[in-house]
């Protein structure tokens, strides 16, 4: 367990409960269900599963921003608009962090993103964690008449606009509009600001990500590669004079019934028993991952049974 980072910036309640220096916490990607053979999930038990995740002690649930069911992408996500769903979950839960991984900024006006996210943050008592990204589905861009090749610059402008909307005297001028301090957007976020976590590279430089994001959502990497990448992340923050910031990653999981079952690779994850999973999560904790969002899309066992086994055998070791 890393013990050289004493604290992360305190932003809001969801951020503080999900990310703690030297510790790994666990969350779940919504929909919390298996749909290995279809791009579209069955959402019939969606609320009960989120509430079950909260009761069992998972720290966060993570929604996705998937405006279109793109055949080449093969996953329609949780179907519901993420901001509508955040508001719904804010009223149906009380403790679990409500994350989005991630809002595709170039496809939305940042004024709408800032308003909706701050509203959900207020309604949830400061539990929203907003991942942001430049987008990875080219088919969506012509559908919204947005230039796919310009998404990197649009991402930076949208990010700056959202940040400005949290200020008391808002001033911003870029491709998305001009606010000169005479207008104000309400509500403001519940906490110090809206937590903005950058996904992947989002077509930005490594230094830009380290300087501007409140944390980094990165992808699983094999062997020791992830450890080297995260060590570079920490060195980069120190060189820039920035505070240390959390790192999270997803992990697709098919939890085998046999706790001693060895790992078999699946898409962005693993089929394995509980013992190897615990060992792997401890390794991620040691190299500096602060949160793992488990995705059960390819899980073979009944999902509620898997949640109960995770809560019994895994969660107590990472609380």
């Amino acid at each position: 367990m890393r013990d050289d980072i004493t604290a992360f910036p305190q932003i809001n309640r969801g951020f503080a409960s999900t990310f703690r220096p030297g510790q790994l916490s666990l969350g779940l990607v919504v929909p919390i269900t298996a749909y290995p053979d279809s791009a579209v999930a069955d959402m019939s038990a969606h609320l009960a599963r989120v509430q079950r995740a909260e009761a069992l002690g998972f720290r966060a649930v993570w929604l996705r921003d998937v405006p279109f069911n793109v055949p080449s992408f093969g996953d329609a996500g949780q179907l519901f608009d993420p901001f509508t769903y955040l508001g719904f979950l804010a009223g149906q839960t009380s403790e679990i962090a409500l994350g989005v991984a991630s809002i595709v900024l170039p496809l939305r006006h940042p004024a709408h993103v800032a308003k909706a996210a701050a509203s959900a943050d207020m309604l949830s008592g400061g539990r929203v964690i907003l991942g942001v990204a430049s987008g990875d589905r080219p088919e969506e861009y012509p559908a919204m008449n947005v230039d796919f090749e310009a998404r990197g610059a649009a991402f930076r402008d949208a990010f700056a606009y959202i940040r400005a909307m949290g200020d008391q005297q808002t001033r911003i001028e870029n491709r998305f509009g001009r606010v000169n301090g005479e207008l104000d957007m309400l509500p403001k976020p519940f906490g110090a600001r809206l937590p903005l976590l950058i996904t992947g590279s989002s077509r930005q430089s490594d230094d830009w990500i380290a300087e501007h994001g409140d944390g980094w959502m990165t992808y699983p990497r094999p062997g020791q590669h992830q450890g080297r990448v995260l060590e570079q992340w920490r060195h980069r923050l120190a060189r820039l004079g920035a505070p240390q910031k959390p790192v999270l990653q997803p992990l697709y999981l098919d939890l085998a019934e046999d706790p001693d079952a060895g790992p078999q690779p699946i898409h962005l994850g693993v089929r394995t028993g509980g013992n190897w999973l615990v060992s792997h999560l401890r390794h991620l904790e040691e190299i500096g991952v602060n949160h793992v969002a488990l995705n059960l899309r390819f899980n073979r066992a009944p999902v509620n049974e898997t949640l109960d086994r995770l809560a019994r055998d895994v969660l107590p070791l990472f609380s």
Side-chain angles (χ1 to χ4, degrees), residues 70-114:
V70 178
S72 63
F73 185 64
D75 190 349
Q78 80 278 336
L79 305 187
F80 306 132
D81 175 84
F83 289 117
T84 302
Y85 200 32
L86 280 176
F88 176 77
L89 293 179
Q92 301 290 331
T93 59
S94 59
E95 297 297 327
I96 198 164
L98 304 175
V100 185
S102 296
I103 294 297
V104 182
L105 291 188
L107 296 182
R108 295 174 179 264
H109 196 287
H112 295 149
V113 173

Side-chain angles (χ1 to χ4, degrees), residues 26 52-53 55-58 255 304-317 319:
L26 293 175
R52 188 185 193 96
L56 290 172
F58 288 91
L255 187 64
N304 285 344
E305 175 186 310
T306 296
L307 293 178
D308 289 342
R309 284 197 287 138
L310 287 170
R312 182 191 66 209
D313 301 331
V314 181
L315 274 182
L317 302 175
S319 298

Side-chain angles (χ1 to χ4, degrees), residues 43-152:
M43 298 296 293
S44 58
H46 69 97
L47 176 59
R49 291 221 172 103
V50 171
Q51 292 173 328
R52 188 185 193 96
E54 179 175 59
L56 290 172
F58 288 91
R59 291 284 177 81
V61 288
W62 297 92
L63 318 183
R64 284 175 290 171
D65 185 16
V66 186
F68 296 95
N69 184 16
V70 178
S72 63
F73 185 64
D75 190 349
Q78 80 278 336
L79 305 187
F80 306 132
D81 175 84
F83 289 117
T84 302
Y85 200 32
L86 280 176
F88 176 77
L89 293 179
Q92 301 290 331
T93 59
S94 59
E95 297 297 327
I96 198 164
L98 304 175
V100 185
S102 296
I103 294 297
V104 182
L105 291 188
L107 296 182
R108 295 174 179 264
H109 196 287
H112 295 149
V113 173
K115 179 86 172 182
S119 298
D121 195 42
M122 285 293 296
L123 291 169
S124 67
R127 290 186 285 134
V128 167
I129 304 172
L130 197 67
V132 291
S134 62
D136 58 3
R137 298 180 289 277
E139 298 90 338
E140 293 176 339
Y141 281 73
M144 297 189 182
N145 197 29
V146 176
D147 184 355
F148 182 70
E149 297 304 321
R151 67 194 186 281

Side-chain angles (χ1 to χ4, degrees), residues 11-27:
I11 300 177
N12 71 3
R13 187 156 64 100
F15 189 92
S17 67
T18 302
F19 305 121
R20 298 178 182 178
Q23 298 181 28
L24 182 143
S25 67
L26 293 175

Side-chain angles (χ1 to χ4, degrees), residues 260-281:
D260 294 318
Q264 300 174 12
I266 62 175
H267 172 70
L268 291 178
V270 65
R271 169 176 169 76
T272 188
N275 292 335
W276 186 92
L277 176 63
V278 167
S279 176
H280 180 60
L281 293 173

